Amino acid sequence: MPIFKPDVETLGRKELRELQIEKLQIVVNQAYANVDFYRRKFDEAGLSPDDIKNLDDLGKIPFTTRKDLMDNYPYGMFAVPLRDVVRLQFPLGLHGNPIVIGYTREDLKIWRELVARIMVGIGVTEHDIIQVAFNYGLFMGAIRFNQSAELIGAAVVPSSIASADVQIRIMQDFRSTVLTSTPSFAVHIMENVKRKGLDPKTLSLKTGLFGAEPWPESVRRALEENLGIRAYDIYGVMELIEPGVAGECPARKGLHIFEDHFLPEIVNPQTGGVKGEGEEGELVLTTLTTGAYPLLRYRTSDVTALHSTPCDCGRTLIRMDRALRRTDQMISVRGINVFPEKITEVLATIPDAGPGYALIPRTKYGMNDQLTVQVEAASRILDSREETKIAFQEAVQLAFRRALGLRVEVELMKKA
Amino acid sequence: MLKIKNIDAFFGKIQVLRHVSLHIEAGEIVSLIGANGAGKTTLLNVISGLHPSPNGSRVFLGVETRSLRPERIVALGLIQVPEADKVFSPLSVLENLELGAYIRRGDPRALKKNMEEIFRLFPVLEERKEQPAALLSGGERQMLALGKALMGSPRLLLLDEPSLGLAPTVVAEIFQTIRSLHERGTTILLVEQNARDALRISRRAYVLDTGRITLTGAGEELIGNEEVKRAFLGKDYRGKWER
């Protein structure tokens, strides 16, 4: 398979590290000079940008957490004035203060290239027709597939969240060769293909690129068998670039992290201590080239391990294991992130509801397919007429739908 | 071709370079831009071995040059064209060029070939080869300075403000010359205050701001970059929310 940017994707590890230290020093200089938050953090730690002389010095820099991003909402983490920012994005479903991520023109260009690297790496060419079945409203990364596909010269069909029937019809009529979506939506499409008794060989699909939620190998096998595709994983972090941090290559022995733009580390989620190669822990990323929103040692909450042993595909970029677990309590339901803190927040706005609750996800193929929220309700609700109970239940359901962008089942329970 | 890492430099107690790291690949034009006093010339002088740097490493063609004397560094093919005192005014053009080949003395044939090539590149120098350098115009003196450096058969040419003090038409000519030097295969590190022209001909660039590298990127991409402008003009906004 071709490599989009061989000069960096196959660069020797030593040369890559030299390039990284150069870029790390620059991003630290920028962050210290332009972001008050980082200046304060450095000063408090008694650290100067001049202390970052080698990649080993990275560990001296304090972590950045999601809470930091929230505390500095809206523009406190920006390294450039708003006038240099050409896009402002805010991930939905977060709790507390929202966060907003700014991108300069250059940042968007980098992002576009990174997803294109993944696409080219798995064989997408200008002859392909890419069906993008991500939710464009909820998933900020969806639009990226358009721009990256267009960069390669492939044709894009933004089918978004059209029904499975429509998706299949598009696949048949347009002869889509690549499907990109959440793995759960792909499974939903797959089940409808089966239900219709369609032979996958009659479809033109050959490649699947799935992400935005964890999906086990069993799902990969099912999708490949039933849709006649090779399925690949793509990884992003909503607070940096989603997707586009890493992607699988044909060897599928982990996802190559684009180390010319991100510096990865694995740390012990409890102690913050840096772990060695091959050891599992929390992925921490430092942006090396981001202009508007540089993040130093950002705690992603994703659990993985890193491997730099040579890859069959020829890339020298480090590989991360597929991120299937989290260090926080966030769960993903059909690709939508649900934070328990958000549930608490929603319940606090509804009289007679909460504070206790339980989340009961229903899984299909090992992925969360549906979420039931058992909510504590005041006895005056529970003891009232059936209609009142149903109305209350529906009100809670609507509140969740508004807050999460997800339809959940609501069950009422007695206060403990 | 050249890799420098964590270079510091001082004038007395004042630190003018702070852990500067950069690299140049063979065949590149890389420009180093920044406001007056950012430390650009000092950095070139450190690379050439003319200004001491207490720490860091600088590797040219695989050789650590920290402990080498400037003339040894020149002999390796790293040649700087300095900003001021570019040429020896009382000496003729020809004598100036011959001085540039001081390091290559002992090979008259190669010398002659070099000289012919320089005259092809700068026909005006051949026309005036007998005249004292003092009589040359500003642009011609800059060409002579370049020619003198080329006599040393550089692998990497460090150019310090080649457009300084020249009329706009002459500046265009000088940049055209730099371009053709690059096309002949010379790798170039270009220091300029004239950022726009420098970025236009550079593959990559670094921005130096009060002794620190604060930005890097492809030359073309940095042309419109606001951070580059700020590096020259200082902060131009009061708050992050300004649009």
Side-chain angles (χ1 to χ4, degrees):
Chain A
M1 291 286 181
I3 292 179
F4 189 82
K5 206 138 192 196
D7 54 336
V8 285
E9 292 183 72
T10 63
L11 192 66
R13 300 281 317 158
K14 183 170 169 284
E15 286 77 18
L16 180 71
R17 277 195 292 276
E18 282 168 358
L19 196 68
Q20 284 178 323
I21 181 65
E22 209 179 285
K23 290 182 174 181
L24 176 66
Q25 288 178 335
I26 291 172
V27 76
V28 165
N29 283 338
Q30 275 175 348
Y32 186 80
N34 297 340
V35 184
D36 293 344
F37 166 78
Y38 280 119
R39 179 183 291 264
R40 210 169 48 237
K41 278 241 173 176
F42 270 63
D43 291 349
E44 280 166 13
L47 190 68
S48 151
D50 301 356
D51 296 330
I52 310 303
K53 296 184 189 302
N54 289 294
L55 290 183
D56 298 339
D57 296 325
L58 185 64
K60 295 177 182 168
I61 302 175
F63 291 117
T64 307
T65 62
R66 188 179 302 111
K67 183 171 183 308
D68 293 327
L69 309 187
M70 292 172 177
D71 291 348
N72 289 282
Y73 172 84
Y75 299 142
M77 300 297 290
F78 283 25
V80 299
L82 200 52
R83 79 164 81 113
D84 299 345
V85 169
V86 296
R87 185 181 297 177
L88 292 162
Q89 286 191 170
F90 57 103
L92 297 172
L94 291 173
H95 51 93
N97 251 354
I99 65 174
V100 58
I101 303 154
Y103 295 89
T104 64
R105 210 175 295 278
E106 195 53 37
D107 292 338
L108 289 181
K109 208 171 134 197
I110 292 170
W111 189 5
R112 182 168 61 217
E113 187 201 299
L114 294 186
V115 178
R117 282 191 199 174
I118 296 169
M119 289 180 168
V120 166
I122 58 172
V124 176
T125 70
E126 74 264 31
H127 304 300
D128 280 300
I129 297 170
I130 305 182
Q131 190 164 331
V132 184
F134 276 110
N135 185 333
Y136 281 74
L138 284 181
F139 176 59
M140 301 184 305
I143 190 78
R144 185 62 37 210
F145 289 94
N146 289 34
Q147 288 157 345
S148 300
E150 284 158 5
L151 182 68
I152 298 171
V156 180
V157 189
S159 56
S160 190
I161 46 169
S163 68
D165 276 351
V166 174
Q167 301 283 356
I168 292 168
R169 171 110 203 238
I170 290 172
M171 273 174 204
Q172 291 174 311
D173 294 353
F174 297 7
R175 300 186 186 174
S176 311
T177 53
V178 181
L179 172 67
T180 180
S181 68
T182 59
S184 35
F185 196 48
V187 163
H188 178 60
I189 294 173
M190 173 191 90
E191 285 180 327
N192 279 275
V193 168
K194 274 163 85 176
R195 186 176 53 79
K196 285 170 184 281
L198 273 177
D199 181 358
K201 288 198 194 74
T202 62
L203 298 172
S204 306
L205 278 188
K206 57 184 172 84
T207 305
L209 183 56
F210 306 117
E213 69 181 320
W215 49 300
E217 286 297 325
S218 54
V219 172
R220 188 193 317 253
R221 278 194 299 277
L223 288 170
E224 295 194 333
E225 252 168 54
N226 295 303
L227 288 175
I229 55 172
R230 292 243 327 149
Y232 298 95
D233 197 0
I234 183 168
Y235 173 79
V237 178
M238 64 176 146
E239 298 88 340
L240 312 138
I241 278 186
E242 182 185 52
V245 169
E248 277 184 327
C249 66
R252 301 201 297 196
K253 288 180 183 154
L255 292 82
H256 289 284
I257 297 179
F258 296 119
E259 289 177 282
D260 50 332
H261 296 283
F262 307 102
L263 197 54
E265 298 168 275
I266 296 293
V267 305
N268 178 319
Q270 274 81 46
T271 64
V274 178
K275 294 188 144 195
E277 222 184 282
E279 290 184 280
E280 200 177 68
E282 181 178 357
L283 179 67
V284 170
L285 291 171
T286 297
T287 64
L288 291 175
T289 50
T290 305
Y293 204 75
L295 293 180
L296 306 180
R297 303 195 83 208
Y298 184 69
R299 304 279 295 249
T300 65
S301 303
D302 284 314
V303 175
T304 183
L306 301 176
H307 310 278
S308 69
T309 46
C311 182
D312 299 343
C313 73
R315 280 179 192 77
T316 49
L317 300 173
I318 209 161
R319 302 186 309 283
M320 60 180 268
D321 290 339
R322 303 182 65 211
L324 300 176
R325 288 190 294 117
R326 303 267 304 172
T327 58
D328 59 11
Q329 301 298 309
M330 187 198 90
I331 60 170
S332 184
V333 183
R334 298 201 300 273
I336 295 172
N337 298 333
V338 178
F339 289 90
E341 295 90 334
K342 188 76 185 173
I343 304 285
T344 303
E345 228 175 75
V346 171
L347 292 178
T349 64
I350 308 171
D352 296 327
Y357 67 89
L359 298 182
I360 302 166
R362 187 185 79 187
T363 64
K364 193 156 77 179
Y365 291 95
M367 296 182 296
N368 297 326
D369 165 59
Q370 209 181 59
L371 181 64
T372 301
V373 188
Q374 291 181 335
V375 175
E376 276 184 359
S379 48
R380 69 178 202 91
I381 299 288
L382 293 175
D383 298 342
S384 59
R385 289 180 309 161
E386 199 58 20
E387 298 92 273
T388 315
K389 268 199 276 188
I390 289 174
F392 181 78
Q393 215 166 344
E394 281 173 353
V396 175
Q397 193 178 31
L398 184 65
F400 280 132
R401 174 157 202 153
R402 284 195 176 132
L404 303 171
L406 179 74
R407 191 180 180 281
V408 299
E409 299 300 323
V410 172
E411 288 173 6
L412 302 183
M413 59 180 186
K414 255 222 219 54
K415 277 192 194 272
Chain B
M1 175 171 262
L2 176 73
K3 273 181 192 151
I4 68 170
K5 199 174 159 191
N6 294 324
I7 293 288
D8 289 340
F10 297 82
F11 280 114
K13 281 188 178 152
I14 301 167
Q15 187 165 4
V16 289
L17 292 178
R18 292 174 178 274
H19 71 299
V20 171
S21 303
L22 57 78
H23 74 279
I24 300 163
E25 308 276 354
E28 280 191 311
I29 298 189
V30 174
S31 58
L32 179 67
I33 58 177
N36 238 333
K40 305 185 298 289
T41 298
T42 308
L43 181 57
L44 289 193
N45 287 342
V46 169
I47 294 172
S48 301
L50 299 170
H51 190 100
S53 170
N55 43 22
S57 73
R58 22 187 223 269
V59 176
F60 178 62
L61 295 171
V63 182
E64 172 58 67
T65 62
R66 261 188 82 166
S67 52
L68 296 186
R69 297 181 53 78
E71 56 268 30
R72 284 289 307 139
I73 297 176
V74 170
L76 287 174
L78 195 160
I79 298 182
Q80 180 175 355
V81 182
E83 175 187 356
D85 288 324
K86 292 165 189 144
V87 294
F88 298 101
S89 301
L91 301 185
S92 73
V93 168
L94 203 61
E95 286 165 333
N96 264 288
L97 290 176
E98 283 167 357
L99 271 173
Y102 176 77
I103 209 84
R104 297 258 173 269
R105 64 196 180 279
D107 188 357
R109 278 216 355 242
L111 225 149
K112 188 159 171 287
K113 199 167 150 278
N114 247 355
M115 187 87 80
E116 282 166 6
E117 206 170 329
I118 286 158
F119 285 151
R120 252 202 313 281
L121 207 58
F122 308 110
V124 66
L125 294 185
E126 184 162 29
E127 286 163 26
R128 304 192 157 209
K129 63 182 176 188
E130 304 300 343
Q131 295 183 7
L135 294 183
L136 298 181
S137 71
E140 289 162 353
R141 284 162 71 97
Q142 184 59 52
M143 286 174 195
L144 177 56
L146 281 171
K148 201 172 89 189
L150 291 178
M151 287 299 285
S153 308
R155 308 279 294 273
L156 171 64
L157 204 52
L158 310 182
L159 301 181
D160 194 0
E161 303 271 6
S163 75
L164 193 72
L166 299 180
T169 51
V170 186
V171 169
E173 210 177 323
I174 291 291
F175 275 102
Q176 190 46 50
T177 307
I178 295 170
R179 221 189 272 257
S180 50
L181 285 179
H182 174 243
E183 279 158 14
R184 281 171 15 131
T186 313
T187 308
I188 294 169
L189 174 59
L190 173 62
V191 159
E192 264 295 338
Q193 274 204 71
N194 184 349
R196 201 172 187 74
D197 285 327
L199 291 175
R200 200 166 281 144
I201 64 166
S202 298
R203 183 161 162 237
R204 291 185 304 116
Y206 294 90
V207 177
L208 194 64
D209 187 358
T210 53
R212 287 194 171 100
I213 301 226
T214 55
L215 203 60
T216 186
E220 287 285 344
E221 284 163 8
L222 290 183
I223 287 177
N225 190 302
E226 297 296 325
E227 282 298 315
V228 174
K229 291 180 199 161
R230 283 191 277 276
F232 282 84
L233 304 169
K235 197 169 161 179
D236 65 337
Y237 59 93
R238 283 189 297 277
K240 289 280 168 63
W241 56 88
E242 227 175 274
R243 257 198 94 83

